[in-house]
Amino acid sequence: MPKDKRKCVDSLRHNEYYDMQGVFDELYNESIKGSEFHNLMDIILDEDNILLAYRNIKTNGGSNTPGTDRLSIKDIAKMEPQDVVDKVRFILRGSQHGYRPKAVRRKEIPKPNGKTRPLGIPCIWDRLIQQCIKQVMEPICEAKFSENSYGFRPNRSVEHAIARTYRLLQMSNLHYVIEFDIKGFFDNVDHSKLIKQIWTLGIRDKELIYVIKRILKAPIKMPDGTLVKPEKGTPQGGILSPLLANIVLNELDRWVESQWQYNKVTDNYSQKPQKNGTVDRCHGYRAMRESTKLKEMWIVRYADDFRIFCKTKSDAEKTKIAIEKWLKDRLRLDVSQEKTRIVNTRVRPMEFLGFSIKVHKKKKNSKYVVDSHISPKALKDKSDKLANQVKVFCKYKDSDQGAKEVVIYNSMVLGIQNYYRIATNVASDLNKIQQRTYRIMYNRLNTQSGNALRKEGRTLTQLEQQRFGKSKSLRYIAGTREPIYPIYYIQFKNPMAFNRRICPYTTEGRAIIHDKLGINCNLMYQLMNQKLASGSIEYYDNRISLYSAQWGKCYITGKEFQCLEDIHCHHKIAKSKGGSDAYSNLVLVDKDVHILIHATNLEIVKQYLKILKLKSPEIQKLNKLRELLELPIIVKEKRSLTLSYKCE
């Protein structure tokens, strides 16, 4: 399953695990109807929503980055669930001064052009609160958002935006493209305008509006230690910022659509529903082209990066002026004149999301087809990063560290391939990187003692074999026997267009993405709500994950759990001996199995083996758990049922 889709499915599962899916569905449906929402803070502070927020951010790599309070998600993971819930509620409602987020840590991230991108890293408790808010606001906003925006939205990706771009260029012959660049968008969002837009979407909870204002006004701690109070902007790095950015620019999407795509003129003509959930308005468009002076324009937006597609140069020039003025007057945002340009894609390529895209005719009198490359800037950036990583693993070629560095290099290769495989010339572009990186490898690994690159190494995994097994350029590091993935060995993939029937907040929309959970959900909710004498929030959350991963069955016997009392969570390495509540250290087993795992008395072992009637493979799995506890393993003698202990 593709990575983007896998992430989407996981997110949906999380909602189902914590029984919040029904609440989100209702918010979405009410938003479609145009309802107003006045009591959203009660949903935000619901116990299940807070626990869901923890689950959603704990796997995010950024959650391990400390803010100004030097705390990370690991510090929250040690706390009991109720303590986490109480803490969030206290921060938002307990103080007499109201919610006051801590200072945001400013961090400068280098950009490929030599400049830096300012990131704002909130403290971990503020991030958790932002996630709680995002979960509740998102279904309301999704019901109102444009179909032409693809960035930071559930189920949407760069691939969908590029697919839409290809279609507009190739099928609709909209060859004049306006490349817009908003000056410092995230740093220049007008707070008062944003609050009005949130209000317009139907979010009328004054307490929530107050909290959002506080988030926007949170002081920023600069690298030199000084505090700056922002008057505008949303900090990049905040969990809520992408959603707020989409709220701001959704007004732009709707205005551009009203000029042509959803112009009221089309309502007077027949409209055909399509399989992907769209409506064919071709009769209305034909009438507008023939009988009006309206300028045809289409928008594709990914976050603050958007492109406008037009038929003629004249239309593009006039549209450019109109949108610049609209952005200034309505959203108080300025356009960079140096970076904003009109491109005739028949003559030179447009650039969008790291791709360079042109159109050309294969033959005389034939239709225009898309011809795309990795953009020169992106290609240089990826080439430099991979070249630097090659130098690292060449330095440690014969050590365990070298093997780890090769794994990092391979993961970078896979990431680049997966992202750019929708460029029509991806193989030829990546071959340039291949030549550079392999040249460095051969120069650094060819020594007087011999070449450290081999054509043979460790056995490839099934996925590695499928992807790179037939490549003649596949090489292995002699010392570690690790394979080095050939980056150029990739085939172009047609980008998949977004299916507008998909929606994470309707039963029908979710059914397209994944099937219903094939487990006893009632028992899972009982497990989630079970109150233990002690246990961290990480422990509680991982139990739910394990219940789903094990399909509601015992790890040893494979039998389905029938009641809550049967479910025991076993630590592979005991906490008294350094074990943790991490997912990898836990399994769910039947209560009788759990007794057998820890049993040291021979008679008790015989008793529970008789009850459970375990087969040899099940006993082997059980023994592996006993070995981790440094307990003697259970051995069945061949000619009798007598049991004996055999130390490891």
Side-chain angles (χ1 to χ4, degrees):
M1 184 179 291
K3 186 177 179 181
D4 290 341
K5 191 171 182 180
R6 178 73 263 167
K7 187 176 180 181
C8 165
V9 173
D10 289 343
S11 177
L12 292 174
R13 297 295 194 209
H14 296 177
N15 298 345
E16 294 171 352
Y17 294 160
Y18 280 97
D19 203 20
M20 289 297 296
Q21 192 64 67
V23 177
F24 298 153
D25 290 356
E26 186 178 354
L27 291 172
Y28 179 82
N29 291 329
E30 289 298 317
S31 184
I32 287 179
K33 295 175 184 177
S35 302
E36 296 178 358
F37 302 90
H38 296 275
N39 298 302
L40 294 176
M41 282 300 293
D42 293 336
I43 302 173
I44 290 168
L45 293 175
D46 183 87
E47 181 176 344
D48 286 347
N49 189 58
I50 296 171
L51 296 177
L52 174 62
Y54 166 78
R55 181 179 185 85
N56 283 330
I57 70 170
K58 76 170 185 176
T59 55
N60 189 328
S63 61
N64 292 314
T65 305
T68 54
D69 60 357
R70 300 184 178 181
L71 299 178
S72 70
I73 194 67
K74 294 178 181 178
D75 297 287
I76 295 179
K78 301 173 184 176
M79 300 174 61
E80 293 190 10
Q82 192 58 52
D83 292 339
V84 174
V85 172
D86 293 342
K87 176 84 171 180
V88 170
R89 289 173 175 172
F90 177 80
I91 292 173
L92 283 172
R93 281 181 168 173
S95 174
Q96 59 179 348
H97 303 292
Y99 175 55
R100 290 188 174 182
K102 293 184 178 180
V104 175
R105 181 164 74 90
R106 173 63 61 89
K107 186 176 181 180
E108 302 291 339
I109 304 297
K111 296 170 69 175
N113 61 5
K115 298 181 180 179
T116 59
R117 176 181 289 108
L119 288 187
I121 304 172
C123 294
I124 190 62
W125 285 104
D126 294 323
R127 270 179 274 178
L128 185 61
I129 287 168
Q130 288 189 34
Q131 180 65 35
C132 292
I133 296 170
K134 176 181 177 289
Q135 290 167 180
V136 174
M137 285 183 62
E138 192 169 69
I140 299 171
C141 296
E142 279 295 314
K144 303 290 179 65
F145 279 169
S146 164
E147 66 184 37
N148 294 307
S149 73
Y150 298 91
F152 304 110
R153 294 182 62 187
N155 313 313
R156 295 174 182 248
S157 66
V158 169
E159 182 177 349
H160 297 138
I162 296 298
R164 180 63 172 164
T165 298
Y166 286 0
R167 181 173 179 82
L168 291 173
L169 290 172
Q170 190 168 303
M171 304 297 292
S172 302
N173 293 323
L174 297 158
H175 297 161
Y176 286 89
V177 180
I178 313 171
E179 298 180 345
F180 277 98
D181 183 88
I182 301 174
K183 284 185 180 178
F185 170 73
F186 284 93
D187 294 329
N188 290 291
V189 170
D190 187 277
H191 291 172
S192 60
K193 178 64 179 177
L194 172 58
I195 296 301
K196 289 177 182 177
Q197 290 172 316
I198 293 172
W199 189 268
T200 304
L201 290 174
I203 299 173
R204 307 289 174 87
D205 187 330
K206 293 183 179 179
E207 186 180 2
L208 174 57
I209 297 283
Y210 168 81
V211 171
I212 293 173
K213 285 181 178 179
R214 287 285 187 158
I215 292 171
L216 294 171
K217 299 293 185 183
I220 300 171
K221 189 174 184 179
M222 306 302 287
D224 61 1
T226 58
L227 289 178
V228 177
K229 293 184 178 180
E231 297 299 324
K232 56 183 180 179
T234 59
Q236 294 186 70
I239 290 175
L240 200 57
S241 293
L243 178 63
L244 297 179
N246 277 329
I247 291 173
V248 172
L249 292 175
N250 184 61
E251 193 174 340
L252 169 67
D253 301 335
R254 294 302 189 185
W255 182 79
V256 174
E257 291 167 358
S258 70
Q259 303 304 301
W260 184 268
Q261 187 177 357
Y262 293 119
N263 193 291
K264 291 183 179 180
V265 173
T266 62
D267 296 338
N268 302 322
Y269 298 85
S270 62
Q271 300 177 5
K272 299 177 182 178
Q274 304 294 302
K275 291 182 179 180
N276 65 353
T278 61
V279 175
D280 187 354
R281 301 169 181 261
C282 62
H283 298 294
Y285 298 148
R286 189 180 299 113
M288 287 195 293
R289 292 187 188 104
E290 293 174 355
S291 60
T292 72
K293 294 183 179 181
L294 294 170
K295 295 162 186 65
E296 186 169 356
M297 62 177 80
W298 300 75
I299 186 172
V300 178
R301 182 174 66 81
Y302 193 95
D304 63 323
D305 200 1
F306 67 98
R307 300 290 181 264
I308 304 294
F309 298 79
C310 301
K311 280 278 187 183
T312 67
K313 184 179 180 180
S314 175
D315 286 353
E317 289 172 342
K318 294 173 182 176
T319 300
K320 178 175 175 291
I321 295 170
I323 291 178
E324 285 177 357
K325 188 175 186 304
W326 189 93
L327 284 169
K328 183 68 176 176
D329 295 343
R330 295 283 300 182
L331 303 183
R332 300 161 195 166
L333 295 171
D334 294 316
V335 170
S336 172
Q337 296 299 330
E338 296 79 19
K339 298 180 181 179
T340 300
R341 61 174 187 166
I342 297 172
V343 178
N344 180 0
T345 55
R346 297 193 297 265
V347 179
R348 60 176 179 172
M350 62 167 284
E351 294 198 1
F352 189 38
L353 301 175
F355 296 84
S356 289
I357 308 169
K358 281 183 69 176
V359 293
H360 73 278
K361 288 184 176 181
K362 282 189 174 181
K363 298 178 182 178
K364 234 179 182 181
N365 301 321
S366 66
K367 292 183 178 179
Y368 283 96
V369 295
V370 166
D371 183 50
S372 59
H373 290 264
I374 303 173
S375 70
K377 186 167 67 173
L379 190 65
K380 183 181 182 304
D381 178 52
K382 303 305 177 186
S383 180
D384 290 344
K385 288 181 178 178
L386 283 177
N388 290 333
Q389 185 60 27
V390 168
K391 294 173 184 177
V392 173
F393 75 67
C394 286
K395 184 179 178 181
Y396 303 103
K397 62 180 181 181
D398 296 323
S399 64
D400 292 339
Q401 183 61 33
K404 292 178 182 177
E405 297 297 340
V406 171
V407 171
I408 294 172
Y409 173 86
N410 287 339
S411 67
M412 293 168 68
V413 168
L414 290 176
I416 294 169
Q417 287 184 336
N418 290 339
Y419 187 90
Y420 291 106
R421 62 182 176 172
I422 55 179
T424 58
N425 296 281
V426 61
S428 62
D429 290 339
L430 293 183
N431 189 46
K432 298 174 184 176
I433 299 179
Q434 175 86 359
Q435 292 177 8
R436 180 184 178 187
T437 54
Y438 268 48
R439 186 165 58 249
I440 297 172
M441 288 182 210
Y442 279 103
N443 289 340
R444 296 194 175 221
L445 296 177
N446 272 330
T447 63
Q448 293 180 354
S449 60
N451 189 357
L453 289 177
R454 298 284 190 268
K455 290 186 178 182
E456 295 181 352
R458 70 162 172 80
T459 304
L460 298 177
T461 65
Q462 186 177 355
L463 292 175
E464 289 175 333
Q465 186 65 40
Q466 289 175 356
R467 190 152 185 172
F468 303 106
K470 295 181 180 180
S471 174
K472 295 180 180 180
S473 299
L474 185 64
R475 295 292 185 269
Y476 301 80
I477 301 288
T480 64
R481 296 178 59 81
E482 281 293 322
I484 302 170
Y485 298 164
I487 191 170
Y488 82 98
Y489 197 74
I490 184 71
Q491 200 171 19
F492 164 70
K493 172 188 174 293
N494 272 314
M496 185 70 70
F498 178 70
N499 187 343
R500 287 172 176 80
R501 292 183 299 150
I502 293 175
C503 179
Y505 305 113
T506 64
T507 304
E508 298 78 12
R510 287 193 297 275
I512 301 173
I513 308 171
H514 71 96
D515 299 325
K516 292 182 179 179
L517 283 171
I519 57 176
N520 187 335
C521 290
N522 289 329
L523 188 55
M524 183 178 68
Y525 298 145
Q526 291 178 37
L527 183 67
M528 179 185 71
N529 294 316
Q530 185 184 28
K531 304 299 182 184
L532 303 175
S534 63
S536 67
I537 188 171
E538 184 182 24
Y539 177 71
Y540 273 81
D541 185 74
N542 285 333
R543 287 195 311 159
I544 303 168
S545 298
L546 286 165
Y547 184 85
S548 175
Q550 296 178 201
W551 294 97
K553 299 176 182 178
C554 173
Y555 174 76
I556 298 295
T557 65
K559 294 180 179 178
E560 192 171 334
F561 296 116
Q562 298 300 317
C563 63
L564 184 63
E565 289 72 24
D566 290 339
I567 306 174
H568 281 215
C569 189
H570 170 70
H571 288 78
K572 296 178 183 178
I573 299 175
K575 295 190 73 174
S576 60
K577 296 185 178 180
S580 67
D581 291 329
Y583 180 89
S584 58
N585 194 46
L586 303 174
V587 287
L588 294 184
V589 294
D590 182 86
K591 64 179 181 179
D592 290 340
V593 173
H594 201 204
I595 293 171
L596 187 57
I597 292 172
H598 290 274
T600 57
N601 183 284
L602 184 59
E603 294 303 318
I604 294 177
V605 171
K606 288 181 179 180
Q607 179 186 345
Y608 279 92
L609 275 178
K610 188 175 181 180
I611 294 171
L612 294 167
K613 298 178 181 178
L614 299 181
K615 298 177 181 178
S616 293
E618 295 166 349
I619 292 177
Q620 288 178 8
K621 291 178 72 175
L622 182 115
N623 280 332
K624 287 181 180 179
L625 296 179
R626 288 178 63 89
E627 286 180 285
L628 291 171
L629 296 174
E630 299 178 356
L631 295 174
I633 62 174
I634 303 169
V635 180
K636 273 192 174 183
E637 297 181 351
K638 292 182 180 180
R639 297 182 180 181
S640 69
L641 296 175
T642 307
L643 301 176
S644 61
Y645 289 91
K646 182 179 178 181
C647 293
E648 183 180 359

